[in-house]
Amino acid sequence: MNKVKELFTGKAKTIYSTDDQDKLIMLFRNDTSAFDGEKIEQFDRKGMINNHFTAFIMDKLAAAGVPTHHEKIINDQESLVKCLDMLPIECVVRNIATGSLVKRLGVEDGLELNPATFEFFLKNDELHDPMINDYHIISFNWATQDEIEKMKALTFEVNTILKQLFLDAGMLLVDYKLEFGRFKGELYLGDEFTPDGCRLWDIDTRKKLDKDRFRQGLGGVVEAYEEVAHRLGVELG
Ligand code: C5P
């Protein structure tokens, strides 16, 4: 499958069309960004790690019955995916309170949430991805009621699968963000699942093993991503 045209360049990935109109190539670059693109840095090997990481997680999810866009890895930094019509929505599940939730609600950082909580955000950098609710999504026609229900159900299903997967590898899945899109009338999980879009803490030390290392200038960003991959048994290039 060949790249035909660059369609979209995001903060960490570039999307290309292919000879097949139903398929795209997703290139994971070494760029890492935070604070809506205000802080950007390149990290050697990060694109490769995130590509293999996403493929590993998407395969696990697909095996458990979650429909995903992932088709196959093409090379270390590129994967072939279904061409989804992406919804402009981010779905976040939180098992432990931290990050924007703590700032917004003034709750204790590190508080375990039982049951886990769910939030929708609008994907819009200029507006700093504001939080939205089901009514906004319907009124502005960003998705249907059926899609809202499916996004919630699938995002929680992913939580059940991945919480255990990370726990078995000695990590707490603190929170994560998912994005969905339409393909031939059905909803599929798109985008990526990497330590860029989730929070992972070591179960014993609570050491941060995700993009918070970059956001907070803690150093050892790629080393942490590599450690997570290693603990899960993800084969890297
Ligand atoms: O910043 P906040 O606490 O709302 O982030 C919740 C989770 O969603 C974190 O795991 C974060 O990495 C992820 N996220 C993301 N992309 C965004 C916003 C949040 O991957 N634009």
Side-chain angles (χ1 to χ4, degrees):
M1 191 76 59
N2 293 317
K3 283 187 264 193
V4 172
K5 192 171 159 233
E6 184 178 315
L7 295 180
F8 177 74
T9 296
K11 291 191 286 280
K13 300 191 292 297
T14 305
I15 307 295
Y16 299 89
S17 61
T18 67
D19 318 326
D20 180 343
Q21 61 172 14
D22 287 341
K23 306 275 164 62
L24 299 174
I25 288 176
M26 192 174 246
L27 164 71
F28 288 77
R29 307 195 313 274
N30 286 335
D31 299 314
T32 305
S33 80
F35 313 120
D36 301 313
E38 271 173 41
K39 179 177 176 178
I40 300 176
E41 236 175 272
Q42 277 80 38
F43 291 99
D44 232 20
R45 291 173 60 79
K46 199 199 126 212
M48 178 277 292
I49 297 168
N50 278 1
N51 185 34
H52 286 281
F53 200 96
T54 292
F56 179 89
I57 297 287
M58 293 282 179
D59 282 348
K60 291 275 180 209
L61 296 176
V66 176
T68 89
H69 72 158
H70 185 259
E71 296 267 323
K72 62 173 188 184
I73 280 189
I74 298 172
N75 57 46
D76 269 348
Q77 283 185 245
E78 293 176 337
S79 281
L80 190 69
V81 299
K82 287 190 177 63
C83 178
L84 304 189
D85 177 17
M86 295 303 289
L87 304 180
I89 296 169
E90 300 184 339
C91 302
V92 170
V93 159
R94 301 174 188 271
N95 295 305
I96 298 177
T98 193
S100 74
L101 180 70
V102 165
K103 285 202 194 104
R104 207 177 329 118
L105 302 184
V107 295
E108 183 194 331
D109 202 317
L111 188 71
E112 221 168 288
L113 304 175
N114 215 343
T117 197
F118 181 98
E119 295 166 337
F120 281 125
F121 294 91
L122 180 66
K123 215 175 146 57
N124 186 322
D125 275 347
E126 273 171 41
L127 300 178
H128 308 294
D129 297 344
M131 192 162 83
I132 52 173
N133 65 29
D134 304 31
Y135 291 93
H136 296 136
I137 294 176
I138 295 296
S139 297
F140 297 108
N141 206 21
W142 290 322
T144 65
Q145 190 64 48
D146 182 51
E147 287 169 333
I148 288 175
E149 300 313 326
K150 282 197 177 125
M151 282 191 282
K152 288 179 185 170
L154 286 170
T155 306
F156 277 117
E157 204 176 315
V158 166
N159 198 35
T160 307
I161 302 160
L162 296 189
K163 231 167 61 168
Q164 192 60 49
L165 186 82
F166 286 110
L167 204 58
D168 290 343
M171 290 171 279
L172 296 171
L173 177 58
V174 173
D175 56 28
Y176 57 90
K177 182 262 303 177
L178 300 182
E179 293 180 29
F180 294 89
R182 299 172 183 140
F183 182 77
K184 299 187 191 289
E186 293 298 323
L187 205 65
Y188 283 78
L189 175 61
D191 196 43
E192 64 175 77
F193 194 103
T194 69
D196 273 356
C198 71
R199 288 192 174 97
L200 296 164
W201 293 351
D202 178 83
I203 195 164
D204 296 320
T205 63
R206 294 219 159 190
K207 179 183 169 190
K208 296 177 201 295
L209 298 168
D210 54 68
K211 197 159 90 173
D212 270 352
R213 300 204 69 79
F214 176 67
R215 294 189 189 99
Q216 299 173 9
L218 300 173
V221 179
V222 166
E223 291 78 1
Y225 286 30
E226 234 158 3
E227 182 178 340
V228 174
H230 180 70
R231 286 196 199 185
L232 287 177
V234 179
E235 277 183 39
L236 300 177

